[in-house]
Amino acid sequence: QASDASFVETVKAAEPITSASVAVLWKIEVLSWEEAASLGGIVVGVLTSTLANGMMSTKTAEAASAGSLVSSSVGTAIRACAVVMTANLCFSFRGLYQKIFRASPQGNPSVMDDMNLQYRMQQIGILLCLIPVLLFDMPHVIRELWDVSDKARFMLSWVFLRYVSIAVINGFAFTSYNLASTYILTRISVVHHAALNCIRRVFAIIVTSIVFRVPITTLSAFGIAVSVGGFFSFSHFKMKRLRRPRPLSSLLPMSEV
């Protein structure tokens, strides 16, 4: 809420960079310069398409055109950027430690499958967030629901049922996404997973443009093409590197895919 959605999505586009940095620093991934350049292309493409989409969405107000891609103040923008970059790092470390856990005897897929792994991660997340939510958000939520219910019989209205239905569908979709993410991450590298996740943002831009009838501008289409091209380039150079025979003296474990 503190910043513009396009600004947040623009900073989130740096996910492959943070994931690559974490994976290389922890020595579970090796990147060639071609792969690194391809990751840069993905980030630039997603950034371009996101900025273009954000400018198109805010074009209805001429006054917003100068500030559609920045927050209301520099301080707010810096705080929002710090929060989003922290989220990027959390995403990267989640992938890192899932790979490390999978390499241990306890994390072998024959011992713990993806469903149970995702269940345990969500369980820990709920336990960590339950007390802060109850302390800081629940009183406000209950007060707002009580006021609306008292004024418009909200709890018995069609609006409430529609809200509950959308919340259930959203929860199911988000759980399915996380399960699919866990399943894919078990089978590919941390950086490849981050690149796929970045491409998801391009897909989201295309779908929302179709559903909400927001025209895709030339700049946005260019950004989409660059990001997709960068992803295919990354996959090509990664497979090329993996097919290259390793020297017999290479004993250090590297990422499998």
Side-chain angles (χ1 to χ4, degrees), residues 10 19 61 77 121 130 132 140-141 144 150 171 205 216 219 239:
T10 300
S19 294
M121 288 193 292
L130 182 61
H140 174 72
V141 171
E144 289 293 328
D150 187 51
I205 289 173
I216 297 179
L219 184 61
M239 295 307 298

Side-chain angles (χ1 to χ4, degrees), residues 22 28 67 71 82 87 90 94 107 110 115 119 131 136 140 142-143 148 160 162 165 173 179 186 196 212 230 237:
V22 167
I28 68 166
S71 53
C90 289
R94 171 248 170 162
S110 61
M115 182 77 74
Y119 172 75
I131 293 179
F136 298 110
H140 174 72
I142 293 176
R143 185 167 56 252
V148 174
F160 176 72
R162 185 169 180 267
S165 301
L179 183 59
T186 300
L196 272 173
F212 298 108
F237 286 115

Side-chain angles (χ1 to χ4, degrees), residues 38 40-46 48 199 202 219-233:
S38 300
I42 295 173
V43 172
V44 169
V46 174
T48 303
I199 291 297
V202 174
L219 184 61
S220 182
F222 173 76
I224 291 171
V226 169
S227 58
V228 172
F231 176 76
F232 282 114
S233 174

Side-chain angles (χ1 to χ4, degrees), residues 93-115:
F93 278 109
R94 171 248 170 162
L96 170 71
Y97 283 108
Q98 181 176 328
K99 299 300 285 189
I100 293 175
F101 176 72
R102 281 302 192 198
S104 67
Q106 298 85 359
N108 192 288
S110 61
V111 177
M112 179 175 287
D113 59 18
D114 295 317
M115 182 77 74

Side-chain angles (χ1 to χ4, degrees), residues 8-24:
V8 172
E9 290 297 319
T10 300
V11 180
K12 284 286 287 178
E15 275 178 358
I17 303 300
T18 58
S19 294
S21 302
V22 167
V24 171

